[in-house]
Amino acid sequence: MKRLVDRLAAERALPRQDMLALLSCGDAETLEHLFARARQAREAVYGRDVYIRGLIEFTNFCKNDCLYCGIRRSNARARRYRLSQEEILSCAEAGYQLGFRTVVLQGGEDPYFTDERLCRIVRALKAARPDRAVTLSVGERSRESYRALFEAGADRYLLRHETATKAHYENLHPGDMSFDRRMACLASLKSIGFQTGCGFMVGSPGQTAEDLLNDLEFIARFQPEMVGIGPFIPHRDTPLGMHPAGTVGMTLKLLAIIRLLVPDVLLPATTALATLDAHGCEKGMLAGANVVMPNLSPPAAREKYALYEGKATAAGETADALSDLRRRMENIGCRVVVARGDHMGKPRK
Ligand code: 5AD
């Protein structure tokens, strides 16, 4: 098994059968070897630096009805909110003062945020702090809309593909959502020039090992600048609320494999991982991750942005929380840096 890991590290690929064997391998020594290779690959590109992104969850209104998501439109129990431009700017500025040089605007697909409104916010963020990167995570939009947001100054865009298996996608989403459209959105984002992130949930209901292989193959082919993965965590007010959560172990294994498939990828240890494990963030770094996304949203909003239950509120909004994170990263030989943290293959525009 260790040979498979070495082969993956050297060739940035594995035949499907071998990848399947690795995915089902529970041998502690092999896994430690996999993590060590992943750390080595990360260090060769990014050293020991950990990049922080200030996450602002600015709306939980959503026109979509994803079967797993707590802010799906049919969830009448979700208490809806949206932040004003002023609130967004002030969260971002508080983050800047703490050292955040990337702000991530994440929200449901909220029709209130037209191109005009969203572009205005992006321009204001860039005007206030020209040395700050702006990442958007606002779902599927038209190519023209993506282009307008890029021209307004947005640098990066996160849109998880959720699963690279069409049939599985259709089991997780209602009939009015389309796998092909999602993939087309990702292709548009990349061709427009965004540093683009895809990603998927680990252990989503009905997910098979074959599906995970498809995700890994898609990632290797798409060559994203960023990949966000985290365990599926059930939310009781959704149709998939009775399914078990994904596991920390499988998430860590996949983080390491993704690091080896795409060594220069920006790879966060996600909130979902930290939700299932108090040391999820450290474990993620030790498996090859190099990004953390602390939450800068106002506390009232944070509570309502419940994609799943028990969401960790990895607070980044206070100096205390951040120095705690710094210390935790130093304990595992990493270093939180004050930097935009662009993808190495694609520096600023
Ligand atoms: N568990 C884990 N992740 C979830 N997401 C949405 N709902 C859940 C859930 N129940 C993820 C999706 C989405 C991202 C913003 O959050 O992958 O793309």
Side-chain angles (χ1 to χ4, degrees), residues 66 68-71 106-107 137 159-162 182 199-201 228 230-235 238 272 305 307-309:
C66 306
Y68 46 83
C69 184
I71 64 167
Q106 184 169 91
S137 176
L159 181 69
R160 290 191 177 177
H161 63 284
E162 309 299 356
R182 194 148 193 104
F200 59 92
M201 290 179 289
F232 163 74
I233 302 174
H235 188 301
T238 66
Y305 198 82
L307 306 183
Y308 43 83
E309 283 171 76

Side-chain angles (χ1 to χ4, degrees), residues 12-276:
R12 303 181 180 190
L14 270 189
R16 262 178 103 89
Q17 276 312 313
D18 292 339
M19 192 64 96
L20 200 57
L22 190 56
L23 279 182
S24 60
C25 168
D27 173 57
E29 213 176 300
T30 306
L31 290 177
E32 194 32 63
H33 188 60
L34 172 67
F35 297 153
R37 282 274 182 256
R39 292 195 292 272
Q40 206 172 42
R42 177 196 62 203
E43 279 169 30
V45 182
Y46 293 101
R48 286 163 181 264
D49 293 358
V50 168
Y51 300 126
I52 49 171
R53 321 298 196 192
L55 183 64
I56 303 179
E57 297 155 337
F58 69 102
T59 174
N60 71 350
F61 284 88
C62 191
K63 65 175 157 69
N64 290 335
D65 222 11
C66 306
L67 275 66
Y68 46 83
C69 184
I71 64 167
R72 66 200 303 267
R73 91 171 160 243
S74 301
N75 182 11
R77 295 166 59 103
R79 286 170 301 147
R80 308 288 170 172
Y81 74 92
R82 57 174 74 91
L83 302 184
S84 67
Q85 173 165 327
E86 292 63 42
E87 288 172 303
I88 293 170
L89 278 151
S90 94
C91 290
E93 179 56 26
Y96 187 94
Q97 298 292 339
L98 290 171
F100 289 91
R101 294 296 176 271
T102 291
V103 63
V104 180
L105 293 188
Q106 184 169 91
E109 290 193 17
D110 179 356
Y112 173 85
F113 287 100
T114 56
D115 290 351
E116 195 186 324
R117 290 197 172 104
L118 213 44
C119 285
R120 198 186 311 129
I121 293 168
V122 171
R123 279 192 299 266
L125 284 165
K126 293 304 263 193
R129 296 291 182 182
D131 60 335
R132 170 170 59 199
V134 174
T135 303
L136 296 176
S137 176
V138 291
E140 297 179 13
R141 302 174 77 97
S142 67
R143 189 183 171 86
E144 297 68 53
S145 171
Y146 288 150
R147 174 148 281 293
L149 292 164
F150 186 73
E151 313 248 284
D155 302 275
R156 313 188 187 121
Y157 203 104
L158 305 172
L159 181 69
R160 290 191 177 177
H161 63 284
E162 309 299 356
T163 166
T165 310
K166 188 171 179 156
H168 186 223
Y169 188 93
E170 288 168 357
N171 288 333
L172 295 175
H173 299 95
D176 63 350
M177 288 182 73
S178 144
F179 174 77
D180 293 333
R181 193 172 61 220
R182 194 148 193 104
M183 289 298 182
C185 283
L186 279 165
S188 290
L189 289 163
K190 200 153 199 270
S191 71
I192 286 166
F194 283 104
Q195 295 174 46
T196 304
C198 63
F200 59 92
M201 290 179 289
V202 178
S204 59
Q207 183 181 63
T208 63
E210 287 287 316
D211 295 331
L212 288 173
L213 289 182
N214 292 343
D215 288 319
L216 295 173
E217 270 179 10
F218 169 69
I219 288 168
R221 194 168 60 241
F222 186 63
Q223 290 286 310
E225 282 76 25
M226 308 171 284
V227 172
I229 67 163
F232 163 74
I233 302 174
H235 188 301
R236 73 179 86 219
D237 301 322
T238 66
L240 299 177
M242 302 304 283
H243 287 261
T247 67
V248 172
M250 186 55 107
T251 305
L252 296 173
K253 195 192 280 188
L254 287 160
L255 283 171
I257 293 172
I258 291 165
R259 169 62 64 202
L260 293 174
L261 288 174
V262 192
D264 57 10
V265 77
L266 293 161
L267 190 63
T270 53
T271 309
L273 181 60
T275 296
L276 289 193

